[in-house]
Amino acid sequence: MAAPEDPLVPADAVAVGATTLVPDLFRPVAAVVTAGSVRWLTWPGVSLPDRALEEVEVLPTASGAWLLYRSDGPGLDEDGRGRSGTVAVHLGPSGVSDGVELDGLRPLGADEGGLWLGDPRDASEWMSDDDEDDDEPADPADIDPATLPRTPEEPFWPDPSEWAEPTDEDSDDDDDDGYTWSIGFADTDDTDDTADTDVVVAGEDPGQRDSDPLERADPAPAPSPPLPTPPTDLVWIAPDGTRTVIRADHLVDDVRREGATLVVRYFPTGPRRVVHEDEDGGDGGGWWDVVYEPHEVRVDVSSALPRSIDTDALESEPAAEEDEDAWEQAIDAREARRAPWLDRLDLAGVAGTRWPLWDADEVSRARAVDRLRAQFIGLDERVVLGTRDHPEPRSAPSDHRDVQVVTEGSWPDTEVVVSFEHTAVPFLRLRRRYRVFDATGRPIDWTHVTVHLEEDVLTALPPRSHADDGVLDL
């Protein structure tokens, strides 16, 4: 068989009797395969939320599948324009439903008849507020580094004569971070095993070492009991958009059907705070554990769905603890279903397999570019720093130097290209490209992008040998 010119990328494969539904991971198209014949279903006219993720989430059912297109950010610009949230599409052997907006509700599960939705809030919102502190320290972002004392100045990069270029053997080491350091300490006595651990800080008792146990604080008071969760709405939505609202007396977290029984997992209260006890029975120095206690009730729905669920009046039982491996097992099962369909189905010549481009004006596009660029501006300026030895804020140099931000390409292929030098990567310039818009032309949400960039620099660098003319692309 010839390789597909435009291969469908399977998001999942859902069996409905003798028919298999294979929706594409990114595009509004699915193959309906029956006895070796293939039909195509497309839904390019469904209106996606702004900043919708390209990758669809599939919830299989006995009659088809729900496809969830989620916004990956607030979807609003500075003027409050835009639309966020999740849009659901029901896919079955006979056709595709219109897109249904979930109005901020959280998907809890799906069954043969519809999609279950619940309150988006987490039970943690009803945890007792014992830890609230009115004397919180000032936000470092509100402090001007120019007004603070400076940390001792150190070289941005080591002296070239004290730095060793990594070898190929070094790069094969699992613990290799791409470079090595050769650092010498002058005026130290090799026989003194405390020279590199005893650091005397002004105002600190020289006899107190980091390894010494800290003086135990007074035992913390017993925590307040958790708050009861309030009544919330449980919504069941059919493929045609019809909604059935069930009032539950507490926060519902999950719903599933077992024959004619509806199993409802809920939280009677928020989580409890419990004191972590030491092996000797102490209070653990005031450390807390947060314990969630979900329950389950069973509701007979053989005749109809109820209008309300009073869990306090029903016999309940503690919900089984979630299997830590369940998520990975579900991923493995999905990959096994997808595997037979990889590079098998060809979309070449099939109409309606692409989302239409988002109709945005030039001003909105420019604002999306500026929002991303702004996160990198000033990345090489001094920062506010506090340490264990010096908890008071001080001004410290940035780990970045000579940050340059440029914009390349035209909409929707616009990219913001960031390059810089970093203290952790001697004698190389780092560069990363960020696409501003997705394939539909919608702005991609890059919240906390500099935090993720820093993590990648410290933990996920490509080998130095991949650098081209002194520039290493991340």
Side-chain angles (χ1 to χ4, degrees):
M1 185 193 316
E5 296 179 20
D6 186 11
L8 179 145
V9 181
D12 205 333
V14 181
V16 182
T19 299
T20 301
L21 307 175
V22 189
D24 190 85
L25 187 62
F26 306 105
R27 293 162 289 188
V29 59
V32 182
V33 185
T34 305
S37 65
V38 179
R39 293 185 293 112
W40 299 102
L41 298 175
T42 62
W43 50 97
V46 169
S47 178
L48 294 182
D50 298 339
R51 296 183 180 175
L53 289 173
E54 293 183 354
E55 182 174 332
V56 67
E57 179 182 358
V58 181
L59 299 181
T61 72
S63 60
W66 286 92
L67 312 179
L68 304 182
Y69 296 94
R70 301 177 186 269
S71 170
D72 67 349
L76 303 176
D77 59 22
E78 291 87 345
D79 297 328
R81 296 178 298 186
R83 185 169 61 88
S84 63
T86 301
V87 169
V89 174
H90 184 266
L91 175 65
S94 60
V96 180
S97 71
D98 294 332
V100 179
E101 296 187 24
L102 302 193
D103 299 329
L105 298 176
R106 180 161 61 100
L108 302 180
D111 56 34
E112 185 173 359
L115 178 67
W116 289 99
L117 310 174
D119 195 295
R121 293 172 293 181
D122 184 83
S124 62
E125 293 203 15
W126 290 275
M127 185 163 51
S128 59
D129 56 0
D130 299 296
D131 287 348
E132 287 189 357
D133 187 358
D134 295 333
D135 299 324
E136 294 183 357
D139 186 343
D142 298 330
I143 303 175
D144 182 1
T147 65
L148 301 175
R150 295 194 169 201
T151 60
E153 296 292 335
E154 297 180 356
F156 188 80
W157 283 341
D159 188 295
S161 64
E162 297 180 342
W163 182 80
E165 185 79 20
T167 66
D168 292 339
E169 294 179 356
D170 294 330
S171 62
D172 292 335
D173 189 343
D174 291 339
D175 295 329
D176 176 46
D177 55 9
Y179 47 88
T180 58
W181 294 82
S182 175
I183 303 176
F185 294 92
D187 303 325
T188 59
D189 185 350
D190 292 340
T191 62
D192 183 1
D193 61 1
T194 65
D196 59 351
T197 58
D198 287 344
V199 179
V200 178
V201 180
E204 181 179 68
D205 181 1
Q208 175 71 45
R209 297 169 57 97
D210 290 344
S211 59
D212 292 339
L214 299 176
E215 182 179 352
R216 181 179 300 278
D218 292 336
S224 301
L227 304 173
T229 62
T232 57
D233 286 337
L234 183 61
V235 179
W236 187 70
I237 184 166
D240 64 0
T242 304
R243 299 182 181 226
T244 301
V245 179
I246 303 172
R247 190 67 168 173
D249 61 339
H250 290 294
L251 179 71
V252 175
D253 179 67
D254 184 73
V255 180
R256 69 182 187 273
R257 284 188 192 247
E258 294 181 357
T261 300
L262 193 67
V263 183
V264 179
R265 171 183 152 114
Y266 70 100
F267 287 95
T269 69
R272 291 186 298 112
R273 286 190 177 99
V274 297
V275 177
H276 175 74
E277 294 187 353
D278 294 332
E279 293 181 357
D280 59 2
D283 65 6
W287 292 101
W288 300 94
D289 280 334
V290 178
V291 179
Y292 288 82
E293 297 176 318
H295 284 63
E296 287 185 349
V297 293
R298 295 174 177 269
V299 181
D300 182 6
V301 292
S302 56
S303 57
L305 292 175
R307 292 185 177 182
S308 63
I309 298 176
D310 186 359
T311 63
D312 287 341
L314 297 173
E315 182 178 351
S316 68
E317 58 184 14
E321 292 187 10
E322 295 184 353
D323 185 352
E324 296 181 355
D325 299 326
W327 183 80
E328 291 186 0
Q329 292 171 356
I331 296 297
D332 291 342
R334 184 194 66 187
E335 293 306 300
R337 295 192 299 267
R338 293 178 65 235
W341 303 98
L342 292 170
D343 295 322
R344 177 176 170 184
L345 300 168
D346 197 344
L347 297 179
V350 180
T353 64
R354 299 294 190 275
W355 296 106
L357 288 178
W358 186 47
D359 185 17
D361 55 54
E362 293 290 341
V363 173
S364 297
R365 298 174 190 172
R367 285 176 173 169
V369 174
D370 291 342
R371 279 196 297 269
L372 179 55
R373 288 177 55 91
Q375 297 192 66
F376 301 103
I377 303 302
L379 193 60
D380 49 2
E381 297 177 356
R382 299 186 71 87
V383 298
V384 177
L385 177 68
T387 65
R388 176 180 178 179
D389 293 336
H390 296 278
E392 70 283 356
R394 296 187 297 167
S395 172
S398 171
D399 288 339
H400 304 78
R401 182 172 68 178
D402 190 19
V403 176
Q404 298 180 15
V405 184
V406 298
T407 304
E408 297 181 358
S410 58
W411 180 85
D413 299 321
T414 311
E415 290 183 325
V416 167
V417 184
V418 182
S419 64
F420 53 91
E421 295 175 345
H422 196 282
T423 56
V425 190
F427 314 117
L428 278 183
R429 188 166 185 81
L430 305 180
R431 181 173 60 194
R432 169 161 284 179
R433 297 177 177 271
Y434 294 91
R435 182 159 178 162
V436 184
F437 307 97
D438 64 19
T440 70
R442 290 170 169 79
I444 298 173
D445 181 45
W446 287 108
T447 304
H448 308 305
V449 64
T450 56
V451 175
H452 299 309
L453 175 61
E454 184 73 3
E455 291 175 350
D456 289 345
V457 169
L458 298 178
T459 64
L461 276 183
R464 291 179 67 92
S465 59
H466 289 193
D468 182 15
D469 196 21
V471 178
L472 182 62
D473 283 300
L474 305 181

